[in-house]
Amino acid sequence: MTDTYVGAIDQGTTGTRFMVFDHSGRVVTSAYEKHEQIYPEPGWVEHDPVEIWENTKDVVTTGLDEADLDPGQLEAIGITNQRETTIVWDKETGKPVHNALVWQDRRTTDRVEEIQAEGKVEWIREKTGLECDAYFSATKAEWILDNAEPLKLEAARGEDVRKRAEQGELLMGTPDTWTIYNLTGNHITDVSNASRTMLYNIHEMEWDDELLEEFGVPASMLPEVRPSSDEQTYGSTDADGFLGAEVPVAGALGDQQAAMFGQTCFDKGEAKNTYGTGAFYLMNTGNEAVESDHGLLTTVAFQMSDEPVQYALEGSIFMAGAAIEWLEDVDLINNAAQTAELSRSVDSTDGVYMVPAFTGLGAPHWDGRARGTIVGMTRGTRKEHIVRATLESIAYQTRDLAEAMEADSGVQTDKLRVDGGAVKNNFLCQLQSDIIQTDIARPEVDETTALGSAYAAGLAVGYWDTVDELRDNWRIDREFSPEKSSEEVDKLYDRWDDAVERSLDWAQEE
C-alpha cells in the first residue's frame, strides 16, 4: 500500500513554502521561494500576485520531486497565508488589476483617520472585533478600486476599475482566496481570513452590508465564506493542471490561526505566540467573542465542519523578524543567527532601546504614524548593543500583549507555546521567558503555520479522525524558564514604555 500524506501551501509575507506532513505530524518534504518586496513610496508595501502564484507552483512541484512523491499520494492540501493582504483580479481572465496591497501597507492611514474623526471606530469594532486600522483589508480594497487606473497598471478593459467592480467583473480576496482560486477555479475564503477584512460581521458570521457600503466594496466581489476545515472541500486541483492530479483543497486558515491550530490550542485559555515577519499572540476564548478593553483584537480562531465557530483574542506586533531583517539591511549583521552571538557578547544594551515601529505600531497602541526609534545611545554604543536592543524589543512587545491578554481574559498564562522562524534563536527564547516571567515551550515542528493548515485539511478528508490525534502529535523540543527576577525585569520594562512614547505620532508629513 502506498503511503499517503497531507500537503500545506504556506503563502507568507516574504515567500511561499510547500510542506508535506505524515500522520504523526512530521515533515516529509519542504520547499521555499522568496518573492519581491515592492516599496513604491515610504510606508507602501506591495507584492506581485502573479509572481506569488508562479512561486506557489514551483515550490509544490519542487517539494514533491525532491521527496520522490507522486501528487496522488496527497490526500488533501491545506492553505495558510499572510492575512489582510488584498488582491483584486479580473473574474474572466484571472489577471490582477493591481499589485497586492500588503498587510504592512500604510497608504490608507489618512482614510482611517477620516473614519476616526467621523466617530465610527466603535461601530466597526462592534461588528468586526477589529480596530479601525490601515492593517486590514477594507481600506486597501477601497484604495485599489479608486486608484488602480491612475497608476496605469494594465487592466483587461479600458473602463474604470470601480465601475467594472460594480458590474460584477472583478473579484477580491486575501492570499488564501487567490491561491484557492488558482488551484480550483472557485472563489472561496474561510471564516478566519474573512474575519480580518474589516468587512465581515463576526457575530452574524456574514459579510456586513453596512460595512460594504461604507468602503464602497460591491458584494459581488466577495468570496464565499466556508469553515476552516471543510468536509465539503473547496474544490480540487485540475488533473490537467500543473500538479497532474485531482487533490482536494479542504482547509484554510489565516497564518496566525493556522499556527494556533498547529500548536493544538483547541481549548479555551490555551495561547501561542508566533514570531515571523511580525509577532502574533493568540488566546483561544472558546465559543465566546471576548471584547477587549486593552487594545487587542477579537477575531475568529477557526471553525470545523458542522461545529460552532471558536474565537480568539489577538495581539498583533507588526515588526518582529522584520526588525532582524532590518539589521541585515543596514549591515549590522550578516545573518539572523548572528544576533544571538552578538547579543551574548554584551551584558546589557547599556540603556539603548529600539522600537521597531517601521510601519507603525499595532496592539496595544494602534498608532499608524509611529516610526522606528532608537533611544539611549552614547559614544560607547556599539552594534552589539543595538542588536541586543532589537531582540529585546520583540520580547518587550510580547509582554505588552501578554499583560493586555491577561487583563481582558482574566486568564494567567502559565506556559506560552511559541513558533516561527525566530524561535530557533535560544537567546531570544530565554530572553522572552525572562521578560514575561513565564515558561516558554518550543515544539519540535516550529513551522506550525503550515502544520495547522495541513491538520485542518486532513481532518476534513478523514486523514485524521479527531483533534485528540493532533494533540498526541505535539512534542516539545525545548522549554525555557525565567532566570531573572521580576524586579530586575520590571525595571527594564518600565523604560521600554518611555521609549515607545517617543516613537508615537512621528510621521506627520506622510
Side-chain angles (χ1 to χ4, degrees), residues 8 10 17 19 21 25 27 30 32 80 258-259 262-263 274 418-424 443-453:
D10 182 352
R17 187 182 303 278
M19 302 184 79
F21 297 91
V27 179
S30 177
Y32 178 77
T80 184
Q263 289 273 32
T274 297
V418 300
D419 56 78
V423 303
K424 294 179 176 70
E444 285 184 6
V445 178
D446 57 21
E447 291 290 349
T448 52
T449 303
L451 180 60
S453 67

Side-chain angles (χ1 to χ4, degrees), residues 357-413:
F358 300 115
T359 58
L361 285 174
H365 308 286
W366 294 109
D367 186 344
R369 295 191 181 276
R371 285 298 178 266
T373 306
I374 302 174
V375 297
M377 290 192 294
T378 68
R379 282 295 304 271
T381 299
R382 298 290 178 263
K383 72 176 180 180
E384 291 84 354
H385 299 115
I386 295 172
V387 170
R388 182 169 177 138
T390 302
L391 289 188
E392 289 190 1
S393 76
I394 297 171
Y396 288 135
Q397 289 178 100
T398 301
R399 176 160 169 173
D400 287 343
L401 302 183
E403 292 193 349
M405 199 75 67
E406 186 175 331
D408 277 332
S409 69
V411 176
Q412 184 169 358
T413 301

Side-chain angles (χ1 to χ4, degrees), residues 87-91 94-96 170-173 177-178 181 187:
I87 306 166
V88 175
W89 66 95
D90 185 284
K91 185 176 183 178
K95 183 176 181 178
L170 301 182
L171 303 177
M172 74 158 279
T177 307
W178 174 244
Y181 177 84
H187 190 219

